[in-house]
Amino acid sequence: MAKADNNQSLRRKVRNSYIISTISIALVLFLLGSVGYLIFNAVRATDLMKENFAIHLMLRDGTSDERIAEIGRQLSEHEAVKEVKFTSKEVAAENFAAQIGDDFTEFLEFNPLPDSYEVRLHADYSNKDYVKTFEKEVSSWDGVEEVVYQKAVMEQIGDNINKFNLVLLLFGGALLVIALILLNNTIRLTIYSKRYLINTMKLVGASQWFITKPFLLRSLLHGLYAWIIAAAMFLALVAGLGEGLPEVTLLAESRPIYFVLGGMLVLGLLISALFTVFAVNKFVRMNSTKINLY
């Protein structure tokens, strides 16, 4: 009777250790997935910020309509250009008059504003070094009088984005290292509870793969369980953010969410398998006389 109670108690402890391990992996996957989602959103937000930076090409007064159209075609076909918008001098005057609340052309008796193109570059090209190159290139085009953009703002955006991305990368890397250390310890403790079984199998001549295989299969199964829990928590988080803070869920309906979920699945299975193999191999290689000293 006492022996049956001991066996039942042992089975309960082993089961609890696997439950704790699964929950630990799920929490880590959820945390890493959330950080990955944050990084995706941060990258997307910085790309949108870069792509909203406007460069204005002021055209020379008297430029023919054919040449204006040719400049527009050149800009549209340029590899760095994402969007091109033409504003005639008449429309520019109307917009400016609406802003100041007065028709300045009546006072001046002429319209001093030029025809212009508003250009927005792709995010990969929207940096201060390339913008200077782009400015030099288009300034040499016939019909372009001046290229105007806010140089100080461009430099400030670039510096702030680089600093933010560096901090985010360091934070994500530090979190990953800490999570892996904690999970390694959790899985090793789970395998530790079965060290006597591993030692017995080794003493009767079982091969290393024969001993490792059942632990590996179980760890993959628990990794899958952990992913299901983490995925449910992650999707609940995304839905909650979309409901409460829609302005920060830029990717809530796009493919990167599936990339994050896929990454969580791969990471969960990989972590479970690798750490389990390492822990089992440690006890397989351990001298039987030292199994009680570990």
Side-chain angles (χ1 to χ4, degrees), residues 105-156:
T105 58
E106 292 182 0
F107 174 76
L108 297 176
E109 297 183 350
F110 74 100
N111 182 5
L113 300 179
D115 295 325
S116 65
Y117 277 105
E118 182 180 292
V119 178
R120 301 182 192 277
L121 304 181
H122 291 289
D124 293 339
Y125 295 94
S126 189
N127 58 76
K128 61 182 180 180
D129 294 329
Y130 184 81
V131 169
K132 290 179 181 178
T133 302
F134 181 78
E135 177 187 8
K136 184 178 180 180
E137 178 185 350
V138 298
S139 296
S140 64
W141 292 357
D142 180 38
V144 178
E145 179 71 23
E146 185 182 10
V147 178
V148 178
Y149 65 95
Q150 296 179 315
K151 296 181 176 63
V153 173
M154 166 57 71
E155 293 178 356
Q156 190 66 35

Side-chain angles (χ1 to χ4, degrees), residues 43-64:
V43 170
R44 179 57 180 158
T46 56
D47 286 347
L48 289 175
M49 186 184 302
K50 290 179 178 180
E51 292 177 349
N52 282 329
F53 185 79
I55 301 173
H56 298 274
L57 276 65
M58 304 302 180
L59 304 183
R60 189 173 294 112
D61 194 28
T63 303
S64 66

Side-chain angles (χ1 to χ4, degrees), residues 19-282:
I19 292 175
I20 293 173
S21 175
T22 301
I23 294 175
S24 299
I25 295 174
L27 292 176
V28 169
L29 291 179
F30 168 71
L31 191 58
L32 293 177
S34 301
V35 172
Y37 180 71
L38 173 63
I39 292 175
F40 270 123
N41 276 281
V43 170
R44 179 57 180 158
T46 56
D47 286 347
L48 289 175
M49 186 184 302
K50 290 179 178 180
E51 292 177 349
N52 282 329
F53 185 79
I55 301 173
H56 298 274
L57 276 65
M58 304 302 180
L59 304 183
R60 189 173 294 112
D61 194 28
T63 303
S64 66
D65 292 341
E66 292 78 8
R67 180 54 192 159
I68 292 176
E70 177 65 17
I71 292 175
R73 185 188 64 78
Q74 287 180 275
L75 289 171
S76 298
E77 295 177 353
H78 199 287
E79 63 175 358
V81 175
K82 181 179 186 292
E83 181 182 347
V84 179
K85 179 183 178 182
F86 175 72
T87 303
S88 66
K89 59 189 306 180
E90 292 77 18
V91 173
E94 292 176 1
N95 294 338
F96 189 66
Q99 290 179 4
I100 65 176
D102 190 17
D103 188 357
F104 65 97
T105 58
E106 292 182 0
F107 174 76
L108 297 176
E109 297 183 350
F110 74 100
N111 182 5
L113 300 179
D115 295 325
S116 65
Y117 277 105
E118 182 180 292
V119 178
R120 301 182 192 277
L121 304 181
H122 291 289
D124 293 339
Y125 295 94
S126 189
N127 58 76
K128 61 182 180 180
D129 294 329
Y130 184 81
V131 169
K132 290 179 181 178
T133 302
F134 181 78
E135 177 187 8
K136 184 178 180 180
E137 178 185 350
V138 298
S139 296
S140 64
W141 292 357
D142 180 38
V144 178
E145 179 71 23
E146 185 182 10
V147 178
V148 178
Y149 65 95
Q150 296 179 315
K151 296 181 176 63
V153 173
M154 166 57 71
E155 293 178 356
Q156 190 66 35
I157 289 175
D159 293 340
N160 289 341
I161 287 176
N162 290 336
K163 292 177 182 177
F164 177 76
N165 288 341
L166 178 61
V167 170
L168 200 59
L169 182 63
L170 292 175
F171 173 73
L175 179 62
L176 178 61
V177 171
I178 294 172
L180 291 179
I181 292 174
L182 292 176
L183 282 180
N184 181 44
N185 290 334
T186 301
I187 292 175
R188 286 180 65 181
L189 288 174
T190 302
I191 302 300
Y192 171 80
S193 64
K194 290 200 170 186
R195 66 192 185 280
Y196 291 112
L197 175 61
I198 295 174
N199 187 57
T200 301
M201 295 172 69
K202 183 178 68 172
L203 291 176
V204 298
S207 66
Q208 183 169 329
W209 171 244
F210 183 86
I211 297 173
T212 304
K213 183 179 178 181
F215 290 98
L216 180 59
L217 293 177
R218 176 170 288 190
S219 69
L220 291 175
L221 184 61
H222 285 277
L224 181 60
Y225 291 156
W227 175 77
I228 293 174
I229 297 172
M233 296 170 63
F234 173 72
L235 292 176
L237 173 66
V238 172
L241 287 176
E243 187 73 21
L245 297 172
E247 63 275 8
V248 301
T249 55
L250 300 175
L251 303 173
E253 298 180 356
S254 59
R255 287 182 299 174
I257 279 188
Y258 299 105
F259 294 154
V260 172
L261 290 174
M264 290 167 61
L265 175 59
V266 172
L267 190 61
L269 296 177
L270 191 62
I271 286 174
S272 300
L274 288 180
F275 288 168
T276 297
V277 170
F278 291 152
V280 172
N281 287 343
K282 180 179 180 64

